[in-house]
Amino acid sequence: MPLRTLTRAATLAASLAGLIAAHPALAGKADDTLVYASDSEPENVSPYHNSAREGVILARNCWDTLLYRDPKDGTYKPMLATAWTWADDTTLDLTIREGVVFHNGDPLGPEDVAFTFNYVLTPEARTVTRQNVDWMKSVEVTGPHTVRIHLKAPFPAALEYLAGPTPIFPAAYFKKVGLDGFAKAPVGSGPYRITKVDSGRGVTMERFDKYWAESPLGKPKIGKLQFRVIPDGESRMAELMTGGVDWIWRVPSDQAEQLRAAPNITVLNSETMRVGFLQFDTLGRAKENSPLKDVRVRQAISYAIDRKAMVDNLVRGASRVMNALCFVDQFGCTDQGVMRYPYDPAKAKALLKEAGYEKGFEIDLGAYRERDYAEAVIGYLGAVGIKARLNYLRYAAFRDALRAGKTSIGYQTWGSFSVLDVSAFDGVYFRGGEEDLTKDPQVIADLQEGDGSTDPEKRKAAYAKALQRIAAQAYALPMFSYSTNYAFTSDLTFTAQPDEVPRFYAASWK
């Protein structure tokens, strides 16, 4: 283990010992309030206007979707829609559940479904997560309790999206307050209702007593939730130890080891479907005469990084090295025939020399989380002569800089909005949209074929071609799946899922 890590662990151990002695851990059980903390906040609590994981958590606990995918067996079950039928390959009919009300008391009906999707499809909506809905053409109300979704083209993954990142808004309320008003006082129909949005600090929620009884989510057992934004990792741990918060996650491995020895704290490690990767500005927008326009340079960078060592020494837990740019459980994800990049600094130097960069070059690298992971990458690049400068930003600023062509290498992570389909990963970064830094016509065509084919085997074959070309051209370097450490009060019963969605509505006090 590096000396810096050992020193940090020793310092942390001493700090925790002091905290434990001075402050016995207090749980939120006493006032039935689960306080959870994370390092960042969504730029807007509207589920369609942020792409942060913290926003996904709020959405899954405070809004309902048309369908529900059971995490136990992957089957789709009725939620706000009680039935659905494909009229043809591009027409989906759904029956909307009766008796559901929004948090403000408005009844939920087909008009709300049609309004939500038609609104977020418009340019005026400024939808951040447009990739989750742009397979739709339009939605119409077809009866007192029915809607029809018109697709732009066949899209077999439609049900997966309707069971995940596509919650329903209250039409009348949203029209009245607009996006800005909705961001300040959001209204959903989920198991918890948001009572306060405190920008920069967090969100307060309480159990929705009128939540519909037949929901597959069930009635929440905990009365109140409070999300707190605490950017500093050691501050989050201190709050956990002193009872200020009850649940934290993304705990670095060395800190997790120390917390395991703490009384009244449970530490849980679980692999998630989040994948870390380096994305390269192959178009050279961020740097004049960018070396990244040369495939040999991108391949050299890929050979220069010891991903296995990063998994073993930094990420640890259930993390795995990824060779294909997707998560292994997603439909269409395969690393068969995908070019591998084992750690080989000598080969990296040879490729740089062949490309005319024997003495290396300077480049910028942007990141927004796990600074130590990004710094490790910079260290590996420096060992082969590439001097990378770290630009560490908040997620929204990092994303916008990549989109605007102002970042040469982006240390990305992506959880696919917990959608178990390759379209939710590679479709975001390589299908010609704002996140695509390559715009390769062949990759775009292969992904479009995979997204639109109704034959599962043809879909898999098309995605395999796209994944093989992405790897061969080194448009991006898949790093590893993320293994997340959760730490929480031992008074809490909490189960982690690979889709990286903390289901607080299913948690309970012991």
Side-chain angles (χ1 to χ4, degrees), residues 69-228:
R69 175 168 48 77
D70 192 326
K72 296 179 181 178
D73 58 17
T75 58
Y76 300 113
K77 296 181 178 179
M79 201 170 189
L80 294 180
T82 58
W84 53 92
T85 305
W86 286 101
D88 54 48
D89 288 347
T90 58
T91 309
L92 179 61
D93 292 324
L94 302 101
T95 302
I96 306 305
R97 186 180 298 275
E98 299 179 58
V100 176
V101 296
F102 287 105
H103 297 152
N104 65 348
D106 289 352
L108 186 151
E111 293 81 6
D112 301 293
V113 176
F115 165 77
T116 299
F117 295 148
N118 287 330
Y119 165 72
V120 297
L121 287 169
T122 64
E124 293 76 18
R126 308 192 305 277
T127 304
V128 171
T129 60
R130 191 175 177 86
Q131 69 272 11
N132 292 328
V133 294
D134 67 359
W135 49 274
M136 301 185 205
K137 181 180 180 181
S138 63
V139 182
E140 64 174 317
V141 175
T142 54
H145 307 294
T146 56
V147 296
R148 168 168 283 187
I149 299 178
H150 296 279
L151 282 64
K152 294 177 180 177
F155 187 59
L159 299 184
E160 176 70 12
Y161 283 79
L162 292 179
T166 52
I168 304 305
F169 284 175
Y173 176 75
F174 195 96
K175 291 176 183 177
K176 178 181 178 181
V177 301
L179 178 57
D180 290 342
F182 193 78
K184 296 174 183 176
V187 170
S189 64
Y192 286 97
R193 72 182 190 93
I194 295 174
T195 57
K196 184 180 180 181
V197 177
D198 192 356
S199 181
R201 299 176 64 106
V203 178
T204 303
M205 295 153 273
E206 67 179 19
R207 181 170 52 211
F208 182 40
D209 291 334
K210 294 182 179 180
Y211 189 58
W212 51 290
E214 300 83 9
S215 171
L217 305 186
K219 288 277 188 177
K221 297 179 178 63
I222 296 175
K224 297 179 181 179
L225 299 179
Q226 184 181 354
F227 164 48
R228 288 184 57 192

Side-chain angles (χ1 to χ4, degrees), residues 37-40 201 227-233 235-236 239 245:
S38 192
D39 58 353
S40 57
R201 299 176 64 106
F227 164 48
R228 288 184 57 192
V229 181
I230 307 177
D232 179 68
S235 296
R236 288 195 300 276
E239 289 278 12
V245 302

Side-chain angles (χ1 to χ4, degrees), residues 29 266 488-494 508-510:
K29 182 178 181 179
T266 297
F488 47 92
T489 171
S490 296
D491 279 339
L492 182 68
T493 297
F494 170 80
S508 62
W509 302 119
K510 293 180 180 177

